[in-house]
Amino acid sequence: MENYANKSGDSQVVSFQIDANSIKVRFKSNHVYLYDIRHPGPEHLEKMKELARAGWGLNTYIESEVKTDFSSKVF
């Protein structure tokens, strides 16, 4: 997984892994969630990828837009 830049300094996101049709996000709690084209859907997925690469806003986006709409809890 790639370290999340956390440019705001207060994100709960630690790292992420982007694949063609999904993104895995690891949080400070050490839980990893998989988001994909089914859950929360392609538009949210692309926005999450963009925010992950930018290192800014991913945690806020997840909390406000897709909190419980993930494909699976990986760990």
Side-chain angles (χ1 to χ4, degrees):
M1 295 189 100
E2 184 176 334
N3 288 336
Y4 181 64
N6 190 13
K7 293 177 181 176
S8 70
D10 61 355
S11 180
Q12 294 298 306
V13 174
V14 174
S15 58
F16 63 93
Q17 179 180 336
I18 293 175
D19 293 316
N21 295 315
S22 67
I23 182 172
K24 289 180 186 172
V25 180
R26 180 181 306 274
F27 294 89
K28 286 184 178 179
S29 64
N30 214 27
H31 293 127
V32 177
Y33 291 87
L34 174 68
Y35 302 89
D36 63 23
I37 58 172
R38 292 179 300 121
H39 296 283
E43 290 177 18
H44 287 298
L45 178 62
E46 291 308 311
K47 182 65 175 180
M48 292 171 68
K49 289 178 179 182
E50 175 187 322
L51 295 169
R53 290 181 181 116
W56 183 272
L58 181 57
N59 188 75
T60 300
Y61 188 82
I62 290 170
E63 287 291 320
S64 65
E65 300 293 329
V66 300
K67 186 170 186 169
T68 59
D69 193 14
F70 53 87
S71 184
S72 65
K73 185 176 179 181
V74 180
F75 179 77

